[in-house]
Amino acid sequence: MKERLEALRVEALQELQQVDSPQQLNDLRVKYLGKKGALTEILRGMGSLSAEERPVIGQVGNEVRAAIEEVIETKQAAFQQAETANRLRAETIDVTLPGKKQAPGAVHPLNKVAQEIEDVFIGLGYTIAEGPEVESDFYNFEALNLPKDHPARDMQDSFYVTDDILMRTHTSPVQVRTMKAMNGKTPVKVICPGKVYRRDDDDATHSFQFNQIEGLVIGPNIRMSDLKGTLLQFVQLMFGKQTEIRLRPSFFPFTEPSAEVDVTCVQCGGHGCRMCKHTGWLEILGCGMVHPRVLEMGGYDPNEVSGFAFGMGVERIALLKYGIDDIRHFYTNDLRFLSQFVRM
Amino acid sequence: MNVSYKWLSDYIELNGYTGEQLAELMTSGGIEIDVVESRNKGVTGVVVGHVLTREKHPDADKLSVCTVDVGGPEVLQIVCGAKNVAAGQRVPVATIGSVLPGDFAIKRAKLRGVESQGMICSAKELGLNDKLLPKEQQEGILVLPEGTPVGASILDVLCIDDEVLELDLTPNRSDCLSMLGVAYEVGALTGRSVKLPDNRVNDSAEQASAHVSVRIEAKEQCLHYTARYIKGVQIGPSPQWMQNRLMAAGIRPINNVVDITNYVMLEYGQPLHAFDADKVEGGRIVVRLANDGEVLQTLDGQERKLEPHMLLITNGKEPLGLAGVMGGASSEVTDSTVNILLESARFDGGTIRKTSRQLGLRSESSVRFEKGVDPARVVPALDRAAALMAEYASGHVLDGIVEELAEQPKAAVVNVTIEKINRYLGTELSKLEIETIFGRLQFPFELSADGVFTVRVPSRRGDMTRDVDLIEEVARLHGYDNIPTTPIEGATTPGALTKPQAIRRELRKRLTDAGLHEVISYSFTHPDRTKLFPALAGAELYPVRLALPMSEDRSVLRTSLLPQLLETAVYNRNRKNDDVAIFEIGSVFHTDEAALTRLPREKHRLAVLLTGNRNRAEWNRKAEAYDFYDLKGIAETLVEVLGVSGSIRYEAAQPEHMHPGRTAAIVLRGERGDETIGYLGQLHPTTQLDHDLADTYVLEIELAPLYDDADFDIVYKSLPRYPAMERDIAVVLNREVEAGKLIASVEETAGELLESVRVFDIYTGEKLGAEKKSVALSLVYRHAERTLTDEEVTELHGKVVTKLEQSFAAELRK
């Protein structure tokens, strides 16, 4: 019997060497090791053996089974590996083809810049106030120390609807509305963004409709040095830490003292270039200490409180920030223009 | 105001400052200098010559051959083409080697065979602005006054070696509309003192009052009127130096008398007017308001219709001039004028401004009166001009000033404390520093022991009325750069967006994420455009019309955002961009008043437009056109983000210019009941055609109700612990039955146990017949606290199906 078992081992191993498919492998497993397989068949004759021979033959039978099983397992592992490799090869794709995406749209550059400015001031503790674009003459002019025949109204050629109602020429009326709403309380710390309108012929640098952002701070002891400090903080957050400011005396009816503010040229860093007309400075802001008349009309006592205000044109800052050459692009809404502002 | 550097140095020492340096100093002090321009446009080597002889050129009709003495050892022979050249003239001569503007070097030349040793120049060739030249000098060569020294440099004679500073004045600094005002400003900046011009008059014995009387009837409009009488003037050109200065200031010389009034106006900022005294009947001056219908011919030859608010200088009967704006033709100074009635007055700025505006007549005079003249200079300017007329027009100034003073000017006294100055500016200025600044400004002051400055502000600085005005003077002369930089003191404040602002930002973010670009349109539009979408524009409302629009296309305020979104789509389509996905967030303006008496309502809205393809054809997907459901998906996403999807529903609607079968009203169920807050749908095919657009889907929605009802609060619900049961139904029913109604029915019948219902298939086809469709719904049932039994779900689901069958004549599809 032992000879038969050894012969079976040789035969089985030989046959297994020839296997080249998982199916064949399975067939051989059944043929040799199955319930009706060759090995079982041989071992079924163990009953006729003597008590001495039986464990010896049993031992041999187990060895033969183990040897066959080992080869089958090795073969099976090899088949699985090959199959996985095949599958991966079949599934390989071209990773350079474009993905499925929704191409992003863009926030309008003017709103993008306005939001950025708003966020800087929110970080500095300001809230955002808004007001109507169609205003009364009172809020737009009179309450800002510009009575009807004030010479400074020369500076603001306006779109009137009636004698007393007009398109606001600046966002300053929101300051007055804010003061009135505060009812004499301090501190006031607001910025007022919005559209404004002036009778101006459109060209590369002028638009009859444009956007402003104004700021107003009122408190018991607000100083001009605080105004400088605030503006410096703002421009450094907006344009970078190296940015400096320069104030030049100017005139606005609603502030006294008044100043124009220049910042270090964003293009050349102050060395002088075409953008800053070789001065190293760019004018971006008007500001000043709130005129006592304006405080009075807003319901404050100028002996008790003081304040500062500042205002800037959003278009101007967007033009500088992005290097845009013509203000009219902002309002023609050409998609080739708008789609350039998708970045965060 | 254009300021000649050389002229200015008559009143203040400018040593140590070039024109550029002066401009920089003034700009940093608050008087902005736009540009510093040299009057010399490139002239060197031109001298004054004396034309000795003039002969006709032998071979050229239009040329002359002249001999000219230029003060050198030899007399020059010069060929000249000008008609007006004549022997005896003093003329500018560009000798060999000299250069004219445009790098035009003069060389020895032969003209038609005759040698020319230089060139006789016209004013234009010397780079002078010919618009500013006296009329007789605008053509031909420039003929200089007799007695101009031969051989002198033309740069000196015409005062070309000078620079002109162009001042860009803010409205408060009208004091710098005069050379003296600028001198005071420079004095404040440099600490140097101002030299006043000589205005001593040598009165003759004869009394002016014998020839002139003055009466002010309009005392609110004319505050002071002064006059002098100058007898026996000889009208002629003014001296060359005066002409040079006027030209530098941008004023054309006319004759000595007129030039003197202009010169003194520039010097003092006080406008003057010279009447031909013999044309002022009775020498009578009456200042009064115009009568209705009165007419005046002004100096420029125009007939002016006058109105009762306009102030006139009259002879008691007829008007002689528009006070402060322009003189009348009837009393104009001419070559034959002999006696002068000279006016120096102070008129109310508002009156002059209104007249000047209404007549569209702005003059150097009206500009100064509008902004306010210095009351203290009315008489000094009158005297100065009279003195100059004596000197340069050979006149005799009669004794005395004839005047009436209607309103005594108020002396301004303003107090400010050292403490307030420093507290306001954040500085630590000493008493001495502030005293020095007021001293430089030439503001007389007293300082009390407790630090109060009592400043008597000179009348030339009418802008100084309150303590802050003085503080500004201190600040600008101390230098804004020297004010420290400090943080705001006091409690910090929290900064935040308001709810509407936060919502608008969220809308922008979601819409751009969905691939839409934001646009900003003009708020002004054509009236016809406001009629395009009456449902959105408010059919019963009026557009707000501008009183003075720049064009009809931009004459009314928009009542809806959509018309301009359509224009934007068309604009881009015309530039070969057919795929447009855009939105705008902005205000529309509504009023129910035909003529506004109060502010219109401003409503924030969101509008969206989609047209063309959602995506281009790519390797893994086909190009897909936008459809209604793309737009609706956007709307649904937005209301979900705002937390209001539960109170929004969409109802088929047929607003004008929208596709009647593809438009929905957006209805918000709120505290005020149901409210249509917007529409979404496809444009009507004819509207699309009108705009030459492909299928276009638009949405416009009112934002205020969303600001009110938006709910950002997130309340966590525990995850379900018991299993759900899913059942599907497919029903066949009439095509026009809306899915929304089926869902509403399902929700109502199934009640609380229904977790969700979803349409997962719509089928139409021949098998069903043209009028039918099949709708397949997927329902999920779940109980929060226990596992549902099969029986109870089957029973409930059965009710749902029965209800659908009954309500919609639906047949269950098996």
Side-chain angles (χ1 to χ4, degrees):
Chain A
M1 238 176 124
K2 194 178 174 186
E3 289 75 32
R4 280 181 61 201
L5 284 171
E6 287 301 338
L8 182 74
R9 180 206 309 244
V10 172
E11 185 202 328
L13 292 185
Q14 236 166 22
E15 212 171 337
L16 280 167
Q17 287 304 321
Q18 314 296 319
V19 165
D20 56 6
S21 79
Q23 185 55 45
Q24 261 182 322
L25 189 65
N26 204 38
D27 291 350
L28 288 184
R29 182 206 307 274
V30 174
K31 178 177 173 188
Y32 290 105
L33 304 179
K35 277 182 187 165
K36 292 175 183 169
L39 185 61
T40 319
E41 185 66 37
I42 295 172
L43 292 177
R44 212 170 266 151
M46 292 243 296
S48 59
L49 293 179
S50 68
E52 293 82 35
E53 273 181 321
R54 219 178 275 164
V56 178
I57 294 303
Q59 170 89 27
V60 175
N62 283 344
E63 279 171 19
V64 171
R65 174 182 295 273
I68 294 171
E69 273 177 351
E70 192 193 331
V71 174
I72 288 175
E73 266 165 41
T74 311
K75 280 273 172 193
Q76 197 154 22
F79 280 131
Q80 251 165 25
Q81 215 169 5
E83 191 185 313
T84 307
N86 276 335
R87 180 170 160 201
L88 292 179
R89 198 174 312 113
E91 287 175 358
T92 296
I93 57 169
D94 181 352
V95 297
T96 64
L97 283 169
K100 290 179 195 169
K101 65 162 185 248
Q102 173 59 63
V107 171
H108 192 282
L110 293 177
N111 286 333
K112 199 170 159 59
V113 167
Q115 288 184 3
E116 212 173 306
I117 296 169
E118 287 167 10
D119 288 342
V120 167
F121 281 104
I122 287 171
L124 297 176
Y126 289 65
T127 50
I128 302 176
E130 292 170 319
E133 292 171 29
V134 185
E135 259 297 3
S136 67
D137 189 86
F138 174 80
Y139 281 111
N140 193 73
F141 288 130
E142 292 203 51
L144 290 161
N145 200 28
L146 281 137
K148 276 250 150 82
D149 60 349
H150 195 287
R153 284 205 187 185
D154 271 6
M155 287 165 35
Q156 337 225 2
D157 281 354
S158 327
F159 286 110
Y160 273 90
V161 177
T162 71
D163 283 350
D164 287 311
I165 296 175
L166 74 160
M167 304 308 295
R168 65 177 175 194
T169 57
H170 44 195
T171 42
S172 311
V174 186
Q175 295 185 13
V176 183
R177 288 177 176 275
T178 302
M179 284 190 271
K180 295 221 166 206
M182 286 297 281
N183 215 355
K185 287 196 288 288
T186 59
V188 175
K189 263 174 108 175
V190 292
I191 58 164
C192 323
K195 293 185 183 121
V196 302
Y197 306 84
R198 290 186 196 169
R199 277 185 67 87
D200 224 340
D201 286 328
D202 287 2
D203 61 28
T205 55
H206 294 85
S207 173
F208 68 88
Q209 171 177 323
F210 57 103
N211 288 264
Q212 276 192 337
I213 295 186
E214 299 238 342
L216 173 71
V217 173
I218 298 174
N221 189 21
I222 296 295
R223 304 159 294 185
M224 190 151 171
S225 55
D226 300 338
L227 169 61
K228 280 185 75 176
T230 300
L231 294 178
L232 186 62
Q233 232 177 338
F234 163 66
V235 301
Q236 292 190 342
L237 287 166
M238 189 76 194
F239 300 110
K241 265 206 150 8
Q242 70 296 339
T243 314
E244 295 292 331
I245 56 170
R246 181 177 79 172
L247 271 67
R248 284 176 289 113
S250 186
F251 171 77
F252 307 107
F254 27 90
T255 50
E256 186 85 5
S258 304
E260 304 265 13
V261 183
D262 300 333
V263 297
T264 318
C265 178
V266 293
Q267 181 119 320
C268 63
H271 303 297
C273 65
R274 243 184 60 188
M275 186 187 252
C276 58
K277 295 180 187 143
H278 303 283
T279 62
W281 296 98
L282 294 170
E283 184 184 322
I284 62 155
L285 265 156
C287 68
M289 298 296 288
V290 180
H291 196 285
R293 282 289 295 141
V294 175
L295 287 174
E296 282 163 11
M297 282 184 280
Y300 290 91
D301 179 351
N303 297 313
E304 300 286 320
V305 301
S306 51
F308 64 72
F310 55 85
M312 65 195 107
V314 179
E315 276 80 353
R316 165 105 178 124
I317 293 179
L319 291 174
L320 296 176
K321 190 174 160 71
Y322 301 122
I324 297 165
D325 54 358
D326 193 325
I327 200 169
R328 287 167 290 201
H329 285 311
F330 292 126
Y331 294 97
T332 43
N333 296 312
D334 192 315
L335 290 170
R336 294 166 301 179
F337 174 79
L338 295 174
S339 58
Q340 293 182 37
F341 300 93
V342 292
R343 288 190 199 174
M344 59 182 285
Chain B
M1 177 83 182
N2 288 357
V3 173
S4 146
Y5 178 93
K6 283 203 166 153
W7 187 3
L8 183 64
S9 61
D10 273 10
Y11 313 108
I12 187 143
E13 184 59 68
L14 294 178
N15 250 347
Y17 293 95
T18 64
E20 283 293 345
Q21 287 166 334
L22 185 62
E24 212 166 286
L25 181 72
M26 291 183 71
T27 299
S28 72
I31 303 290
E32 197 177 334
I33 310 297
D34 275 348
V35 66
V36 179
E37 207 158 338
S38 172
R39 291 200 71 214
N40 187 345
K41 306 295 179 202
V43 177
T44 49
V46 180
V47 294
V48 177
H50 181 204
V51 182
L52 301 175
T53 59
R54 179 213 173 200
E55 308 277 332
K56 218 176 98 24
H57 189 289
D59 294 324
D61 286 347
K62 292 186 177 168
L63 297 180
S64 316
V65 181
C66 306
T67 54
V68 184
D69 172 15
V70 294
E74 287 169 37
V75 168
L76 305 179
Q77 173 175 292
I78 297 176
V79 178
C80 179
K83 277 189 224 157
N84 65 332
V85 66
Q89 287 171 338
R90 297 286 199 277
V91 292
V93 179
T95 52
I96 305 300
S98 57
V99 182
L100 293 178
D103 279 333
F104 176 35
I106 303 300
K107 297 183 185 119
R108 195 174 293 272
K110 266 193 177 170
L111 282 98
R112 293 282 181 105
V114 177
E115 184 172 323
S116 184
Q117 297 165 303
M119 178 177 144
I120 304 177
C121 306
S122 68
K124 210 173 177 175
E125 282 159 344
L126 294 171
L128 299 182
N129 180 351
D130 54 349
K131 285 191 197 111
L132 292 177
L133 292 169
K135 271 195 193 118
E136 65 275 11
Q137 290 180 6
Q138 287 176 2
E139 278 183 33
I141 53 158
L142 176 61
V143 181
L144 300 166
E146 281 172 42
T148 308
V150 172
S153 164
I154 201 72
L155 300 181
D156 297 333
V157 171
L158 295 179
C159 201
I160 291 176
D161 255 349
D162 190 10
E163 285 174 309
V164 176
L165 283 67
E166 279 180 32
L167 275 54
D168 183 8
L169 290 175
T170 53
N172 61 323
R173 291 308 301 275
S174 55
D175 60 298
C176 288
L177 284 171
S178 65
M179 297 303 288
L180 279 175
V182 175
Y184 277 110
E185 173 69 13
V186 174
L189 293 165
T190 58
R192 296 176 183 180
S193 56
V194 173
K195 290 170 281 184
L196 294 175
D198 182 5
N199 61 356
R200 281 167 302 174
V201 178
N202 292 318
D203 293 346
S204 64
E206 198 175 346
Q207 291 291 317
S209 56
H211 298 270
V212 183
S213 71
V214 167
R215 193 170 86 236
I216 302 176
E217 284 182 358
K219 293 192 192 316
E220 279 175 22
Q221 290 79 18
C222 178
L223 311 170
H224 193 189
Y225 195 100
T226 69
R228 272 188 177 275
Y229 196 89
I230 299 110
K231 198 171 179 179
V233 295
Q234 281 179 19
I235 305 296
S238 59
Q240 188 64 45
W241 62 263
M242 187 180 283
Q243 294 191 29
N244 294 340
R245 287 179 171 192
L246 288 175
M247 284 191 279
I251 291 181
R252 185 159 62 94
I254 293 173
N255 61 43
N256 47 6
V257 168
V258 174
D259 289 358
I260 287 167
T261 60
N262 283 330
Y263 184 80
V264 175
M265 173 183 70
L266 292 173
E267 212 171 27
Y268 283 82
Q270 169 65 47
L272 301 168
H273 186 68
F275 296 94
D276 184 328
D278 299 312
K279 296 177 193 160
V280 178
E281 198 183 309
R284 216 173 11 251
I285 295 290
V286 177
V287 188
R288 63 159 169 85
L289 291 175
N291 298 319
D292 219 354
E294 220 166 349
V295 175
L296 170 70
Q297 191 185 12
T298 43
L299 280 176
D300 53 8
Q302 300 244 25
E303 284 276 315
R304 308 279 178 179
K305 276 184 71 181
L306 307 177
E307 288 184 35
H309 63 80
M310 297 177 177
L311 188 65
L312 296 181
I313 312 301
T314 71
N315 57 12
K317 290 180 285 191
E318 296 95 23
L320 300 172
L322 269 171
V325 180
M326 194 175 271
S330 67
S331 55
E332 186 180 359
V333 172
T334 63
D335 288 350
S336 54
T337 296
V338 181
N339 300 311
I340 296 290
L341 196 164
L342 183 64
E343 161 200 296
S344 179
R346 184 159 62 94
F347 302 117
D348 167 59
T351 306
I352 303 303
R353 176 189 165 87
K354 201 168 167 195
T355 303
S356 146
R357 278 279 162 108
Q358 193 152 352
L359 297 176
L361 192 58
R362 273 168 84 84
S363 58
E364 293 280 345
S365 163
S366 72
V367 165
R368 284 174 175 78
F369 279 120
E370 276 178 27
K371 308 206 164 176
V373 296
D374 179 358
R377 287 192 194 154
V378 175
V379 170
L382 180 74
D383 286 348
R384 169 73 166 157
L388 289 173
M389 285 183 195
E391 191 171 354
Y392 296 105
S394 318
H396 302 284
V397 182
L398 299 198
D399 184 40
I401 293 170
V402 184
E403 66 180 318
E404 182 172 347
L405 181 63
E407 187 194 280
Q408 190 73 43
K410 290 175 216 77
V413 178
V414 183
N415 291 341
V416 67
T417 63
I418 298 174
E419 188 270 333
K420 172 93 186 251
I421 292 171
N422 282 322
R423 179 159 50 86
Y424 209 67
L425 299 176
T427 48
E428 286 169 4
L429 294 172
S430 68
K431 189 180 77 172
L432 181 66
E433 283 173 294
I434 298 169
E435 282 177 329
T436 306
I437 288 171
F438 288 147
R440 287 178 156 212
L441 286 163
Q442 305 204 29
F443 286 3
F445 65 88
E446 282 142 34
L447 177 59
S448 75
D450 54 350
V452 183
F453 281 94
T454 302
V455 181
R456 276 172 289 120
V457 180
S459 55
R460 63 187 154 83
R461 291 299 303 273
D463 56 322
M464 296 289 111
T465 59
R466 301 181 70 132
D467 57 357
V468 289
D469 300 324
L470 292 175
I471 293 175
E472 181 175 61
E473 293 300 291
V474 172
R476 70 183 186 91
L477 290 173
H478 175 59
Y480 281 8
D481 283 345
N482 298 321
I483 293 172
T485 298
T486 56
I488 295 173
E489 288 170 359
T492 55
T493 49
L497 293 171
T498 61
K499 188 178 176 190
Q501 289 156 357
I503 288 175
R504 291 201 300 274
R505 284 211 188 178
E506 187 67 21
L507 294 177
R508 274 190 198 115
K509 182 179 172 304
R510 300 286 174 172
L511 288 162
T512 53
D513 285 351
L516 283 76
H517 288 297
E518 185 181 26
V519 304
I520 298 180
S521 314
Y522 291 126
S523 302
F524 302 160
T525 187
H526 192 283
D528 291 348
R529 303 295 287 169
T530 66
K531 296 179 189 135
L532 200 54
F533 298 103
L536 294 160
E540 77 288 7
L541 302 174
Y542 298 90
V544 176
R545 191 177 172 87
L546 300 176
L548 207 63
M550 295 201 296
S551 69
E552 193 61 14
D553 274 347
R554 290 173 188 165
S555 59
V556 298
L557 302 192
R558 59 184 176 183
T559 51
S560 159
L561 302 177
L562 285 186
Q564 281 154 314
L565 285 196
L566 293 192
E567 282 166 25
T568 300
V570 170
Y571 175 93
N572 281 288
R573 204 255 354 260
N574 289 343
R575 280 154 190 80
K576 304 262 180 277
N577 207 337
D578 293 326
D579 305 332
V580 179
I582 51 176
F583 71 97
E584 177 162 15
I585 296 171
S587 288
V588 301
F589 305 83
H590 287 171
T591 180
D592 47 17
E593 296 184 304
L596 280 193
T597 62
R598 52 182 187 272
L599 300 185
R601 271 171 294 154
E602 290 185 26
K603 300 168 150 192
H604 285 167
R605 285 186 174 177
L606 162 69
V608 176
L609 179 146
L610 306 174
T611 185
N613 287 330
R614 185 191 322 126
N615 60 278
R616 291 184 303 180
E618 287 185 60
W619 66 278
N620 56 353
R621 56 177 172 178
K622 292 199 177 83
E624 286 171 290
Y626 281 113
D627 65 25
F628 175 87
Y629 297 102
D630 286 312
L631 183 61
K632 190 170 177 200
I634 288 171
E636 286 169 334
T637 305
L638 297 182
V639 297
E640 186 173 344
V641 168
L642 298 183
V644 290
S645 47
S647 28
I648 291 279
R649 62 172 202 277
Y650 304 87
E651 289 177 355
Q654 287 80 35
E656 209 172 317
H657 289 120
M658 298 292 289
H659 191 306
R662 292 185 172 184
T663 299
I666 305 170
V667 181
L668 175 71
R669 189 176 65 245
E671 284 169 16
R672 301 165 298 276
D674 283 0
E675 183 189 358
T676 296
I677 60 167
Y679 291 92
L680 73 117
Q682 187 181 340
L683 283 187
H684 196 285
T686 56
T687 310
Q688 289 179 171
L689 204 62
D690 288 346
H691 289 83
D692 200 12
L693 286 168
D695 284 359
T696 300
Y697 301 90
V698 295
L699 169 155
E700 183 161 354
I701 190 167
E702 209 74 70
L703 292 181
L706 298 177
Y707 295 159
D708 289 343
D709 290 9
D711 183 0
F712 304 158
D713 289 344
I714 294 173
V715 181
Y716 164 74
K717 275 189 284 194
S718 42
L719 302 180
R721 291 164 61 198
Y722 298 94
M725 286 209 193
E726 202 174 319
R727 298 285 167 94
D728 295 347
I729 320 173
V731 286
V732 176
L733 31 62
N734 281 337
R735 258 185 70 151
E736 60 268 21
V737 177
E738 292 170 333
K741 297 232 165 72
L742 298 185
I743 288 169
S745 162
V746 168
E747 284 172 340
E748 198 193 325
T749 317
E752 280 185 354
L753 293 184
L754 182 74
E755 187 176 78
S756 68
V757 53
R758 172 173 62 91
V759 178
F760 72 90
D761 191 35
I762 300 278
Y763 171 76
T764 52
E766 279 177 27
K767 272 201 314 197
L768 296 176
E771 294 308 311
K772 295 282 182 186
K773 68 178 170 186
S774 155
V775 180
L777 302 171
S778 174
L779 287 69
V780 178
Y781 296 97
R782 194 197 300 268
H783 196 292
E785 274 136 32
R786 61 182 173 78
T787 305
L788 289 171
T789 64
D790 199 41
E791 293 75 34
E792 62 183 329
V793 170
T794 304
E795 192 194 333
L796 182 56
H797 192 67
K799 282 186 191 163
V800 168
V801 173
T802 310
K803 183 72 182 172
L804 289 180
E805 287 170 337
Q806 287 169 356
S807 305
F808 304 104
E811 277 174 51
L812 196 61
R813 226 176 152 206
K814 296 182 178 108

